Amino acid sequence: MSSATEVMRPEEVPQPKQYGKPGGFLRHTNIITGTVSGIVLAAIAYLVAGALRPPPSDENALALPVGLDPQFAAMYIGWTIGLLLGIGAFDGPLRWFLGHDLTHEDAEYMAGAGQGKWRYFKYTTDHKVVGKQYLVMSLVLLGVGGTLAMMIRTELGITWMEVFNPNVYNSIIGTHGMVMVIAMIIVVSGPIGNFIVPIMIGARDMAFPRLNALSFWLLFAAVPPLVSSLFLGGIRDGWSVYQPLNSQAPVGMLGYQTTIIVFAFSTGIASVNLITTIVTMRARGMTWSRVPIFVYGIIGSSVMGLIWFPMFQYSQILSWSDRVLQSNFFNPAQGGSVWLYENLFWLLGHPEVYVIVIPGTAALMELTTVFVRKPLFSYKLAIAGIFGVVGISGIVWAHHMYMTGFAPSANYPFMLSTELISIPFGFLVLVLLGTIWRGKVWTRLPMMAVYAVVWNKVVGGITGVWLSDVPVDQYMHGSMFVVAHFHFMLMGAALFSAIAAIAYWFPKMTGRYLNERIGSIGFWVAFAGFQLCFGSMFFAGLQGMPRRVLQFDNAFNLSNWLSTIGAYTIGIGTVIFLYAIITSWRGGQTAPMNPWAAQTLEWTVPNPVPLENFKVLPVVTTDPYNYGVPDPYASQVADVGDETSQKVSVS
Amino acid sequence: MSTTQNPPPPVEEPEEPTNRPPALHRATKWLERPYARRIILISGVYVIAILAVLWFAIWVLNSSGGPASGIMAEIATTMIWLTIVASPLMGFTVATLVYSLFGWGRVGGDEPPMQENPDIRTNATAVIAWITATSLLAGFLVVWGLVELAGITAGAYGTVPANKQQGFVAPINVNVTGQQWVWTFEYPDLGKIQSDVLVLPIDRPTYFNVTSNDVVHNFWAVELGIKIDANPGAITNTGVTPNKLGTFNIRCAELCGLHHAYMETKVQVVTQDEFDSWVREMGGGKTL
């Protein structure tokens, strides 16, 4: 042992005692033990709660009118805890109580060393494994949500009969909405945020690797309750499940509530982890003005998730309590308020749009510099734009409630804030335009997606200008116009930028190129179908077609037929794109370390990225945007506002 | 932060003024660049395209009944003006995208292209111009919206005393009740007659007190331009003065359960005489 004054060599650092084989309990846990344990505990909880439930009796007038809700609530709690137990999520705290500190071998086992493909099915802490888990999960969710969307469009396209009965149809639209919202929240921050961001900032892993695994497996725990609700009466009330419909709904609603409550934990944990990683683990020399802009997007999104997700969670905890514990938070007959629910819901419900859109937009800014080979235009304006949106995001929620009458005078300030948020959002558009400005574009799929996305943002923006105005919203609210508008933002802007992000980072995540020819065909087919589907939907809305209906006046037939044709085109395009992803992942052309000649750090590590990413941690001396050659116009004194010309003129 | 080196100041001819040229001169110089005018031209084409779509949207609105009240007419005017004001920025954005593909050129291939594009880090004039333009646009939207909302609210809720208006007519009160999945309209001042079809006399201000017996509904008379949630345990208000005879749709615009899609009825805007006889027919005690 060396004395404290000497510097210890790494092998001299005292290691904690190794108990058993590396990994310990986690050697025996995986997705199968987790699922089995979840199901078993769910069954036990269901039976125990059933046995404890007071029997309904006519004699006992004080007997609570409880239905099956407590039993199913217990079942969902049992499933969540059981899954986490069985997957080994509580291994860390247990070790801590027992004083069995992790050895280096333990930590390596937990990061998935030497476990081959099985590491994707275990409680693995390596951020790259978690990133891929998130990628597959979001693709699966998008597939489920997309299938449900096809069913909706089938119903609305076949105007002469009811394909589904109203209960099934209402369940389909509710589940479609919620599945897609979850998928869109994770689709960039999950895969790219987890896989790429730590490497991008020059770190060996996330700040809290075990929390990283926990955030994914909480998401995994959250999905089955949502799917199970389809078989327990369904979420018949739209994704927003306004009260008091929420309380009237069958027990499947508990599945929805469980999903939101658990998913909010998952998002909160992931957000804390990403923020801490980015704040504390950047490479030496990576000052805040050298951080890639995508990382700023992830911070902005995480901050919003961290602040606003609890509101959504509270709304569902209180709803859960109303159902299971007979409380009356939202029951108007007993002094509750449906407006309270709506406010809590939209307090996340609107910032969530920015949680979804900001990382995708930041990814576009990142990859535009690479494919136009120009520096990011006005880096600091981009940061101001991101944090401007984050700042205002919290005070715009009630524009979803203009027509609820909850506070007529509140319409004025919320109209004001909603219209002001377009200013920082406009910064981001200027940054994109300025980066493209006067550049020769390298026309690869990720870059072409930028054009598609900005186009969709323009359409979504101009219709958003209409909707932000209270009197116009008086016409549009609750109509198909709103549906078309937010699909232009959430799908046209956010999902298409997520596709761009996945295509751009695909070579780093999988070591292979995304098949560009097939991928582009799929992308543009989906884009064309998208314009037809949602473009014509605007006109159904203008004619006065309410949303979430399964039958409607004949006046709306034409635009609905066109929408359905467009939707099927999107479906075909998506299947083609998915085929490109799967075949490229399995056997695509292998990609070099830095296929795009980009300057961010993730392209300096080999494929496949080794455990702990960097042998030697990098030192950063510049921002990653040193593209381009001196501007020929810059030497002209008469140049418009160019810094160079200003310097020239001072002499 | 940046390693980009500004090029050394070129040697200038001595008679050149040492101060920065005036803005107008610089703008003219900028317009002499080959791409500048073309981008402006494409912006113009796109603005015209937006206005054509707007015209089509208004045509759709008119062809499906058209504005049947002052509120709805005002909403249509707002849509037109908001679009006209917003379209130049939209046009410039699209024009830049189009020009970047077809004007500044593009490279294909698998290999990353040579670095030959200007390393523009920022441009003060462009940033200032953009922020000014978007702020003016947002400011216009805010002011327009606030003024218009105040006007509509004054009309709908009667904050401008109706008897101060020219041609004063007493307003009609209608209690609207939504329940799964029907609308009921009660005329409290007219002998509490009840109907499942809304009948209104033309050119008479009408105030609605809207509530629900069960879940949240939304009372939406499309062509009249009114919409308000019907909440259980609370009364919300709206109002309108219909100015067009005809039969229009009332729909529920808030998902309210199983038969939400079928929760619709009609509003008949009739003349005062027809309205009076309808009230008598329904057994109403008095007419206003």
Side-chain angles (χ1 to χ4, degrees):
Chain A
M1 291 290 285
S2 32
S3 79
T5 49
E6 290 171 34
V7 176
M8 286 188 291
R9 303 232 300 274
E11 59 269 26
E12 290 172 343
V13 176
Q15 283 283 321
K17 186 168 176 270
Q18 175 80 54
Y19 292 89
K21 288 182 180 166
F25 177 60
L26 287 174
R27 295 185 81 86
H28 310 290
T29 62
N30 54 37
I31 193 171
I32 298 170
T33 57
T35 312
V36 169
S37 137
I39 291 172
V40 168
L41 210 61
I44 292 173
Y46 180 82
L47 294 175
V48 170
L52 292 176
R53 190 162 68 100
S57 101
D58 295 337
E59 296 148 29
N60 185 358
L62 289 175
L64 291 168
V66 279
L68 290 171
D69 283 308
Q71 262 175 289
F72 280 94
M75 181 185 86
Y76 285 126
I77 295 171
W79 153 259
T80 310
I81 294 175
L83 178 100
L84 294 179
L85 269 177
I87 197 80
F90 300 122
D91 177 64
L94 193 67
R95 278 172 175 275
W96 193 51
F97 296 144
L98 299 177
H100 293 191
D101 284 343
L102 284 182
T103 63
H104 188 66
E105 286 74 27
D106 282 330
E108 282 204 326
Y109 182 90
M110 287 173 69
Q115 289 158 52
K117 294 252 184 299
W118 260 110
R119 69 187 192 279
Y120 294 107
F121 302 98
K122 289 172 71 85
Y123 194 75
T124 306
T125 57
D126 183 14
H127 71 98
K128 297 180 286 294
V129 174
V130 178
K132 285 190 188 175
Q133 287 170 330
Y134 263 110
L135 178 58
V136 173
M137 181 58 109
S138 50
L139 291 179
V140 168
L141 287 176
L142 287 171
V144 173
T147 312
L148 293 168
M150 292 297 119
M151 292 158 85
I152 296 173
R153 283 312 328 169
T154 307
E155 168 67 58
L156 295 181
I158 298 177
T159 44
W160 51 92
M161 59 177 278
E162 277 184 12
V163 180
F164 304 107
N165 79 47
N167 268 335
V168 175
Y169 178 77
N170 286 353
S171 303
I172 290 172
I173 54 173
T175 315
H176 161 77
M178 202 57 236
V179 166
M180 281 306 202
V181 164
I182 292 179
M184 288 309 300
I185 286 174
I186 63 172
V187 72
V188 175
S189 296
I192 319 289
N194 278 298
F195 193 109
I196 298 294
V197 163
I199 319 180
M200 211 174 206
I201 62 169
R204 290 208 157 103
D205 203 327
M206 298 282 271
F208 307 114
R210 277 184 278 186
L211 285 188
N212 202 15
L214 181 62
S215 73
F216 173 76
W217 288 105
L218 278 172
L219 169 67
F220 185 86
V223 172
L226 189 61
V227 178
S228 75
S229 70
L230 274 175
F231 305 98
L232 295 172
I235 306 158
R236 297 174 185 174
D237 317 318
W239 83 282
S240 52
V241 289
Y242 272 12
Q243 293 282 4
L245 266 180
N246 189 323
S247 299
Q248 293 180 354
V251 286
M253 187 53 68
L254 284 168
Y256 170 92
Q257 293 164 352
T258 311
T259 300
I260 303 306
I261 294 168
V262 177
F263 179 62
F265 280 124
S266 161
T267 312
I269 290 169
S271 300
V272 166
N273 207 351
L274 280 165
I275 295 171
T276 314
T277 309
I278 296 167
V279 170
T280 63
M281 294 178 67
R282 278 167 295 131
R284 278 184 71 184
M286 185 178 277
T287 59
W288 284 113
S289 51
R290 293 176 186 160
V291 173
I293 196 66
F294 176 65
V295 176
Y296 273 105
I298 292 288
I299 296 184
S301 167
S302 302
V303 166
M304 284 186 286
L306 201 55
I307 298 174
W308 301 115
F309 246 102
M311 302 295 175
F312 196 9
Q313 201 178 19
Y314 295 153
S315 75
Q316 297 312 318
I317 290 173
L318 300 185
S319 298
W320 184 93
S321 158
D322 275 7
R323 290 190 68 103
V324 179
L325 308 174
Q326 269 77 53
S327 59
N328 290 299
F329 293 106
F330 304 130
N331 179 1
Q334 298 288 334
S337 166
V338 295
W339 287 325
L340 175 63
Y341 177 87
E342 291 164 18
N343 275 289
L344 283 174
F345 181 88
W346 288 114
L347 267 164
L348 169 79
H350 195 77
E352 164 254 310
V353 176
Y354 303 116
V355 171
I356 291 171
V357 172
I358 288 288
T361 310
L364 291 189
M365 293 194 273
E366 193 70 54
L367 64 89
T368 303
T369 65
V370 175
F371 290 95
V372 187
R373 309 215 77 72
K374 275 184 71 211
L376 188 69
F377 181 83
S378 215
Y379 175 81
K380 284 169 186 161
L381 193 69
I383 299 172
I386 290 170
F387 285 105
V389 170
V390 172
I392 307 181
S393 70
I395 52 166
V396 294
W397 79 91
H399 64 221
H400 295 264
M401 299 173 62
Y402 284 158
M403 296 305 130
T404 59
F406 88 108
S409 299
N411 286 354
Y412 295 85
F414 280 105
M415 175 160 61
L416 179 79
S417 59
T418 303
E419 283 166 354
L420 290 187
I421 205 168
S422 64
I423 297 176
F425 220 90
F427 293 0
L428 305 180
V429 177
L430 177 66
V431 170
L432 276 174
L433 290 185
T435 309
I436 293 174
W437 192 257
R438 284 172 53 200
K440 243 187 181 157
V441 180
W442 184 20
T443 51
R444 301 298 296 265
L445 173 60
M447 185 62 208
M448 299 322 288
V450 174
Y451 289 88
V453 168
V454 177
W455 167 264
N456 287 338
K457 271 190 184 164
V458 167
V459 179
I462 207 163
T463 49
V465 162
W466 287 7
L467 288 172
S468 67
D469 186 81
V470 178
V472 180
D473 192 56
Q474 191 159 323
Y475 171 24
M476 308 289 192
H477 173 87
S479 75
M480 288 308 254
F481 192 91
V482 175
V483 178
H485 160 74
F486 74 70
H487 278 88
F488 261 92
M489 292 317 268
L490 287 182
M491 184 177 177
L495 183 59
F496 282 55
S497 32
I499 289 176
I502 289 170
Y504 174 61
W505 278 295
F506 199 78
K508 189 49 68 186
M509 294 183 75
T510 65
R512 295 170 189 280
Y513 280 109
L514 183 66
N515 186 326
E516 189 127 338
R517 210 166 57 88
I518 303 178
S520 296
I521 294 172
F523 182 85
W524 289 115
V525 169
F527 179 80
F530 178 83
Q531 303 303 321
L532 180 62
C533 178
F534 294 101
S536 51
M537 201 179 280
F538 282 125
F539 292 99
L542 282 171
Q543 287 174 294
M545 177 177 168
R547 59 193 286 204
R548 294 162 172 166
V549 296
L550 83 169
Q551 281 293 305
F552 39 80
D553 293 0
N554 289 337
F556 312 136
N557 280 355
L558 178 63
S559 57
N560 274 287
W561 289 331
L562 291 176
S563 277
T564 298
I565 294 171
Y568 278 105
T569 316
I570 300 174
I572 294 167
T574 314
V575 169
I576 297 174
F577 194 83
L578 216 56
Y579 170 82
I581 287 190
I582 292 169
T583 52
S584 310
W585 200 333
R586 290 169 57 91
Q589 184 196 350
T590 49
M593 191 169 82
N594 190 357
W596 317 118
Q599 296 181 359
T600 38
L601 286 175
E602 77 270 23
W603 304 104
T604 63
V605 294
N607 289 343
V609 186
L611 198 62
E612 303 199 329
N613 309 339
F614 299 95
K615 273 212 183 73
V616 179
L617 285 179
V619 176
V620 177
T621 57
T622 171
D623 75 2
Y625 302 122
N626 297 304
Y627 303 102
V629 294
D631 184 359
Y633 283 112
S635 58
Q636 289 183 6
V637 180
D639 196 76
V640 178
D642 202 292
E643 285 175 339
T644 321
S645 64
Q646 280 173 321
K647 277 173 196 149
V648 171
S649 59
V650 178
S651 57
Chain B
M1 155 199 140
S2 142
T3 60
T4 318
Q5 298 294 317
N6 287 322
V11 185
E12 294 294 334
E13 47 271 51
E15 60 266 29
E16 198 71 31
T18 48
N19 288 329
R20 213 162 173 228
L24 186 67
H25 176 69
R26 284 180 289 135
T28 331
K29 278 296 233 190
W30 184 77
L31 280 173
E32 282 170 11
R33 294 186 182 180
Y35 54 80
R37 290 180 185 186
R38 288 184 211 149
I39 287 182
I40 292 172
L41 184 72
I42 303 170
S43 307
V45 172
Y46 185 68
V47 166
I48 292 169
I50 293 179
L51 298 182
V53 176
L54 170 71
W55 175 82
F56 184 61
I58 298 295
W59 179 79
V60 168
L61 167 62
N62 287 332
S63 68
S64 57
S69 75
I71 295 179
M72 195 59 184
E74 204 160 321
I75 289 172
T77 314
T78 303
M79 282 162 53
I80 293 171
W81 277 103
L82 295 194
T83 313
I84 288 174
V85 172
S87 58
L89 271 175
M90 308 283 178
F92 176 74
T93 305
V94 172
T96 308
L97 293 184
V98 171
Y99 194 81
S100 88
L101 274 183
F102 300 103
W104 288 312
R106 48 188 198 272
V107 248
D110 290 344
E111 288 303 309
M114 296 282 293
Q115 302 210 157
E116 53 182 342
N117 295 318
D119 59 346
I120 308 169
R121 287 266 170 180
T122 187
N123 182 318
T125 312
V127 170
I128 291 169
W130 181 272
I131 294 179
T132 312
T134 50
S135 302
L136 283 176
L137 170 59
F140 175 84
L141 299 183
V142 167
V143 172
W144 178 286
L146 292 178
V147 169
E148 183 203 17
L149 177 59
I152 284 183
T153 312
Y157 297 103
T159 39
V160 172
N163 55 10
K164 296 269 173 67
Q165 293 166 1
Q166 221 178 2
F168 168 73
V169 270
I172 299 175
N173 280 300
V174 181
N175 295 339
V176 181
T177 307
Q179 68 182 46
Q180 287 166 329
W181 292 272
V182 287
W183 293 107
T184 313
F185 304 99
E186 190 192 58
Y187 296 74
D189 307 330
L190 306 174
K192 296 208 166 197
I193 54 174
Q194 283 196 352
S195 164
D196 55 1
V197 174
L198 180 60
V199 181
L200 297 177
I202 191 167
D203 292 332
R204 282 281 287 277
T206 313
Y207 297 147
F208 299 98
N209 307 305
V210 184
T211 190
S212 162
N213 283 344
D214 36 45
V215 301
V216 179
H217 304 275
N218 186 302
F219 172 63
W220 181 22
V222 190
E223 288 84 0
L224 296 182
I226 51 170
K227 177 182 286 156
I228 193 78
D229 268 6
N231 293 284
I235 292 173
T236 49
N237 301 96
T238 188
V240 71
T241 307
N243 60 11
K244 188 173 172 184
L245 293 174
T247 303
F248 309 109
N249 293 301
I250 290 175
R251 299 195 178 90
C252 177
E254 192 64 68
L255 180 57
C256 56
L258 191 63
H259 295 303
H260 163 60
Y262 302 101
M263 187 168 170
E264 46 179 41
T265 181
K266 299 286 180 195
V267 47
Q268 293 168 3
V269 180
V270 297
T271 61
Q272 184 69 46
D273 292 343
E274 287 169 332
F275 182 71
D276 292 340
S277 59
W278 177 78
V279 170
R280 277 191 295 275
E281 216 173 277
M282 297 293 287
K286 58 172 183 169
T287 56
L288 287 171

